[in-house]
Amino acid sequence: MLSLAGVALGAGGSLFGQPMVSRASTRQLGIQESAAHRAELKNMILKFLSSASQMEKAELTRATARTEAAPVLDQLVDDLWLVQAEIDLAARNEPLRGATFRRLDMITW
């Protein structure tokens, strides 16, 4: 009789413990996904800033030398727009999207 009670108690503990384990796993997965998304956004932002810096330097060099816009500058503008589009697709919040658009408009116009 005692062994039957032990089996019932073990089964009850398993049934009540399983949802707790499932919630903890779900929470841990959410934390990992959030961290991966932040890392991806960080890389995109760094890529955007690097591209913007290269374009600004190329524009300053062109303006100082008083030459026509080189194909290199056109390529840098295209690269900057592509990086901005990547951020726009990956960003989950509007402030980040708006910040990249404002920065891009400030640089390209």
Side-chain angles (χ1 to χ4, degrees):
M1 190 62 135
L2 264 154
S3 62
L4 186 58
V7 169
L9 186 61
S14 292
L15 290 175
F16 287 118
Q18 188 61 36
M20 291 172 56
V21 170
S22 178
R23 271 183 271 157
S25 296
T26 302
R27 194 172 328 135
Q28 186 176 12
L29 180 63
I31 291 169
Q32 289 172 348
E33 287 175 351
S34 180
H37 184 257
R38 281 193 310 272
E40 179 184 19
L41 272 179
K42 177 185 171 190
N43 288 336
M44 286 180 194
I45 290 169
L46 290 174
K47 188 175 171 184
F48 177 83
L49 292 174
S50 173
S51 183
S53 175
Q54 288 175 359
M55 197 184 87
E56 285 177 331
K57 286 177 186 175
E59 176 59 27
L60 285 173
T61 302
R62 186 201 60 81
T64 304
R66 297 179 187 209
T67 60
E68 292 297 316
V72 173
L73 190 57
D74 292 339
Q75 182 61 45
L76 288 171
V77 171
D78 291 344
D79 292 345
L80 190 62
W81 279 102
L82 288 174
V83 174
Q84 192 281 326
E86 288 177 13
I87 291 173
D88 192 38
L89 291 172
R92 292 181 181 165
N93 59 18
E94 192 58 39
L96 181 59
R97 290 178 181 159
T100 57
F101 273 119
R102 284 190 302 278
R103 177 73 174 151
L104 193 56
D105 285 341
M106 188 172 70
I107 294 170
T108 57
W109 304 115

